[in-house]
């Protein structure tokens, strides 16, 4: 498991307790974070992850005596949300239902960073761009795409549609992109 993955696991553990965070009895912050990390992780991975969590200020900590109250910082919440978006996958059914899923958007220049993130996620999920800002996928995907849209804050600018019939030129491009259909 990479340090990035280990950090995400620890943040997930802290985040699973809700916005209030968690309380841990330990002699130091490192020991407290060490107790949160899964026991099956190698010690070196845990140490690197703890150092990275501190370095990136992904948590906020207060302590009284040996009780450490640990909660996610704003950066930590953002990191955890980003990790959840990265886990979005599109299931591939055994039989294609002959329906194309289209995602199209018109995002203002002021939100170009969110548009780039959204576009990268569409590429990662296997979408094919047919025209500028018009992407297609053959399998049911709206739930995952909506999660990404929400994370990027682009709900007002994105349209999702299912299409049963498409012109021959576009269909030929899609058939080249998805030869298994």
């Amino acid at each position: 498991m990479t340090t990035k993955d280990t950090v995400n696991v620890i943040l997930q553990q802290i985040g699973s307790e809700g916005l209030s965070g968690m309380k841990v009895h330990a002699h130091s912050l490192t020991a407290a974070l060490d107790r949160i990390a899964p026991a099956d992780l190698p010690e070196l991975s845990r140490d690197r992850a703890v150092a990275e969590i501190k370095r990136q200020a992904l948590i906020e900590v207060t302590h009284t005596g040996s009780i450490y109250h640990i909660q996610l910082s704003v950066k930590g919440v953002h990191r955890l949300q980003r990790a959840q978006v990265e886990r979005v996958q599109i299931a591939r059914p055994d039989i294609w239902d002959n329906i194309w899923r289209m995602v199209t958007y018109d995002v203002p220049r002021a939100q170009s960073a969110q548009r780039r993130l959204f576009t990268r996620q569409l590429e990662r999920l296997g979408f094919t761009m047919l025209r500028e800002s018009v992407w297609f996928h053959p399998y049911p995907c709206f739930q995952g795409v909506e999660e990404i849209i929400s994370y990027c804050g682009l709900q007002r600018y994105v349209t999702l549609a299912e299409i049963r019939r498409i012109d021959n030129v576009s269909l030929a491009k899609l058939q080249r992109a998805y030869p298994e259909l």
Side-chain angles (χ1 to χ4, degrees):
M1 184 179 283
T2 66
T3 301
K4 176 182 173 182
D5 293 334
T6 305
V7 167
N8 290 341
V9 166
I10 294 171
L11 294 179
Q12 178 66 42
Q13 184 67 29
I14 296 167
S16 70
E17 298 293 321
L19 295 176
S20 62
M22 60 187 346
K23 292 184 180 186
V24 180
H25 184 78
H27 66 278
S28 69
L29 174 59
T30 301
L33 290 172
D34 204 32
R35 288 189 180 178
I36 295 169
D40 60 342
L41 291 175
E43 189 174 334
L44 183 60
S45 294
R46 286 196 313 259
D47 291 346
R48 286 182 180 157
V50 167
E52 198 62 20
I53 288 168
K54 289 179 184 177
R55 187 184 71 76
Q56 292 185 32
L58 299 175
I59 57 171
E60 294 174 353
V61 180
T62 55
H63 72 92
T64 306
S66 62
I67 304 294
Y68 285 81
H69 182 242
I70 303 169
Q71 62 188 46
L72 297 176
S73 65
V74 171
K75 285 176 69 175
V77 169
H78 182 71
R79 165 85 179 249
L80 190 56
Q81 289 174 331
R82 179 77 177 256
Q84 289 171 327
V85 165
E86 295 286 337
R87 284 194 297 271
V88 169
Q89 297 294 320
I90 296 174
R92 186 180 193 156
D94 294 334
I95 300 172
W96 183 45
D97 60 6
N98 291 311
I99 299 174
W100 291 101
R101 281 68 182 186
M102 181 183 73
V103 176
T104 185
Y105 52 87
D106 187 12
V107 178
R109 278 191 189 168
Q111 291 183 286
S112 61
Q114 291 95 325
R115 182 182 57 240
R116 280 192 305 275
L117 173 60
F118 183 61
T119 301
R120 279 194 309 270
Q121 292 301 316
L122 291 177
E123 290 172 341
R124 179 184 67 78
L125 292 172
F127 278 78
T128 296
M129 185 172 64
L130 214 54
R131 306 266 185 275
E132 186 176 342
S133 301
V134 180
W135 296 76
F136 280 82
H137 200 282
Y139 306 120
C141 57
F142 286 175
Q143 182 178 356
V145 173
E146 287 168 345
E147 194 174 325
I148 296 167
I149 291 168
S150 178
Y151 173 76
C152 295
L154 299 176
Q155 297 90 329
R156 295 177 39 194
Y157 310 109
V158 180
T159 300
L160 307 175
E162 290 185 337
I163 299 175
R164 291 191 180 277
R165 190 163 175 253
I166 193 165
D167 67 275
N168 290 334
V169 173
S170 297
L171 183 59
K173 288 180 183 178
L174 291 171
Q175 287 172 332
R176 282 193 301 275
Y178 304 99
E180 70 276 8
L181 300 179

